[in-house]
Amino acid sequence: MFAEPLTASGTVHWIGTGRSTGRTGLDLLCDHAKRVIVWDRTRERARGRLSPLGLADRAEQRSLSRDSLQAEVRPGDVIVSMLPAAEHPALLRLALSHQAHFACTSYTSAELAAEANAASTAGLVVLTEAGLDPGIDHLMAQQLIERARRDVGDTAATVDFTSYCGGVPAQPNDFRYRFSWSPYGVLTALGSSARYVENGEQRTAQRPWEATRPLVLGKEAFEVYPNRDSLPFVTQYGVPSGWRLATFIRGTLRNEGWYTAWTDVFDTVRAGDEARIRALAAELANRYPTTDADRDRVVLTVELTIRNSDGATCWRGTQLLDVSGDAAESAMARCVSLPLAGGVVRILDGALPVGVNRAAQTADEADRWIDFLKEHGLPITSHCPPDPPTGSDDPLNERGERSKGEARHGA
């Protein structure tokens, strides 16, 4: 049984100021919240992070400890965790014990979901998967799938879905990568298997990089590989059961040449020696430091193609986010913090239901979120078949090639 939503107090506790904390998102929160408190290892570190963003005088700063945080959290506050995913369950437990709402950008782990069960009966909102990936990728996927379902119906002979996201150097370096989070975390992620659908069959890549393949966007070449477990998202995205999936892959995007440049890294990860992996992570951090002069780039592409039984394409849609960082804010920080901040604003406004929420769980919600992101400057572009003219039962495409009862031809 769900309780009535607990009215948000207007106070937001932003925990952690790593590389994904951006000016755009925090500035938005400072505009909407009554009070924003930023917590870091020390007050000086928090202020040092906020000052270059121009926000040191708009948000309060605190030194983080469990006791100090517990002393300040009040019922209806929102705790936002920008800490590593392993820290989320403890912060969520703290939030629930103080009748506070909770938000993060990470995947909804089994442990996080178990802790969040109590939120429904307490009238609290738990927001997860509200960043870039996971987050914006969910929004794009749900929009495309709903538009296609509306056009072709709930049965389709062949369906190919891919979603690839990556943070890369704006100007590719010899390593073909720019660390936007912990180097050790990057190497650890490489060692995690990936599950996906290819050629109509479920596949598992124990070493995901071995499934690397080329991808061309416009005239630019990239490399992509599957990441994590894609299969649960078939249901999460609302893919009709009558669609025969030939491909369903959520994965990672890298600059062309990445696979070759990382040969030595793969050898170390493959060996599985924890001490060697940690040592290599430290070495890479020193060899390829992120400096103020660096400019990063985020590329997120989601594509859905549907074919008839004869193999002819009857519907195709794509969504693309391509943004580069500047001196004021990295692309990664902007793309992670803005959707998260937008979700927190919805909590403050009482617009999200109690219990566990992801970035968007319906196509209508996805539309609202993407409209918000576009209004705040994220360059999301969409290429899909046009909507039918109002009042028309049998719309034609721009070439007049659709006859009644046939699927619309895509762009």
Side-chain angles (χ1 to χ4, degrees):
M1 180 177 178
F2 288 1
E4 288 296 314
L6 181 66
T7 301
S9 67
T11 295
V12 175
H13 302 271
W14 187 279
I15 316 295
T17 61
R19 293 175 181 172
S20 293
T21 292
R23 182 184 65 177
T24 304
L26 274 179
D27 192 48
L28 175 75
L29 278 186
C30 290
D31 285 341
H32 285 79
K34 294 178 181 177
R35 189 180 179 206
V36 175
I37 305 172
V38 174
W39 298 77
D40 209 329
R41 288 199 296 266
T42 66
R43 186 190 300 264
E44 293 72 26
R45 178 182 167 89
R47 188 167 187 84
R49 176 59 178 161
L50 292 177
S51 293
L53 303 179
L55 298 172
D57 295 328
R58 301 199 66 197
E60 300 173 40
Q61 300 100 46
R62 297 286 191 278
S63 296
L64 179 61
S65 71
R66 183 176 180 84
D67 289 344
S68 58
L69 181 60
Q70 286 193 116
E72 292 218 35
V73 176
R74 299 288 183 270
D77 288 0
V78 183
I79 292 179
V80 179
S81 177
M82 296 298 285
L83 300 180
E87 305 291 337
H88 296 336
L91 274 178
L92 176 55
R93 287 192 291 270
L94 187 152
L96 295 175
S97 68
H98 287 71
Q99 295 183 285
H101 307 285
F102 178 85
C104 69
T105 62
S106 299
Y107 286 99
T108 312
S109 67
E111 186 178 5
L112 203 60
E115 293 291 345
N117 286 336
S120 299
T121 56
L124 299 172
V125 176
V126 175
L127 175 64
T128 62
E129 301 181 24
L132 168 63
D133 172 8
I136 299 177
D137 57 336
H138 293 349
L139 310 179
M140 292 178 168
Q142 288 173 320
Q143 275 198 336
L144 287 179
I145 289 167
E146 175 57 24
R147 290 175 185 176
R149 188 201 62 77
R150 187 179 61 208
D151 285 358
V152 306
D154 291 334
T155 58
T158 304
V159 177
D160 294 304
F161 172 90
T162 57
S163 175
Y164 295 113
C165 182
V168 299
Q171 295 295 325
N173 54 23
D174 62 332
F175 194 49
R176 294 297 191 270
Y177 190 69
R178 176 186 185 274
F179 287 106
S180 57
W181 56 302
S182 159
Y184 175 71
V186 173
L187 300 193
T188 301
L190 274 178
S192 301
S193 64
R195 200 160 64 119
Y196 55 100
V197 176
E198 187 174 52
N199 296 326
E201 298 180 354
Q202 293 185 17
R203 300 180 184 273
T204 299
Q206 296 298 335
R207 302 182 180 98
W209 71 83
E210 293 179 351
T212 297
R213 66 203 68 189
L215 175 72
V216 177
L217 296 177
K219 296 182 179 180
E220 189 173 5
F222 296 94
E223 294 176 351
V224 294
Y225 61 92
N227 182 29
R228 302 176 65 99
D229 187 354
S230 297
L231 300 189
F233 295 92
V234 174
T235 300
Q236 184 170 320
Y237 292 165
V239 175
S241 59
W243 285 11
R244 295 181 60 188
L245 289 174
T247 307
F248 193 93
I249 299 175
R250 299 178 71 255
T252 300
L253 176 147
R254 297 287 181 249
N255 286 130
E256 183 182 33
W258 170 82
Y259 184 84
T260 300
W262 279 52
T263 300
D264 292 342
V265 175
F266 300 148
D267 289 343
T268 299
V269 174
R270 185 183 290 111
D273 185 313
E274 178 70 12
R276 286 182 59 196
I277 291 173
R278 287 189 177 276
L280 178 59
E283 178 187 334
L284 293 175
N286 290 329
R287 194 189 309 170
Y288 302 102
T290 300
T291 70
D292 291 340
D294 291 336
R295 296 292 177 265
D296 70 329
R297 179 184 179 193
V298 164
V299 180
L300 166 60
T301 176
V302 181
E303 181 173 322
L304 176 64
T305 301
I306 300 178
R307 296 180 176 85
N308 293 324
S309 56
D310 61 3
T313 298
C314 64
W315 199 95
R316 181 174 183 270
T318 63
Q319 299 253 37
L320 176 67
L321 170 65
D322 187 350
V323 58
S324 294
D326 54 30
E329 183 176 36
S330 73
M332 186 62 68
R334 183 180 177 194
C335 292
V336 172
S337 289
L338 180 58
L340 177 60
V344 174
V345 168
R346 289 181 65 72
I347 295 175
L348 295 175
D349 290 344
L352 293 183
V354 300
V356 178
N357 294 258
R358 295 177 174 87
Q361 309 203 118
T362 67
D364 287 343
E365 268 290 284
D367 289 344
R368 293 187 187 96
W369 281 66
I370 285 187
D371 286 345
F372 162 83
L373 295 175
K374 288 180 177 179
E375 289 168 3
H376 288 81
L378 279 192
I380 298 172
T381 58
S382 176
H383 298 281
C384 298
D387 288 329
T390 303
S392 171
D393 293 329
D394 183 30
L396 301 178
N397 65 15
E398 64 271 20
R399 296 182 298 276
E401 293 177 342
R402 185 185 183 199
S403 60
K404 190 170 184 178
E406 293 177 340
R408 180 183 299 136
H409 289 273

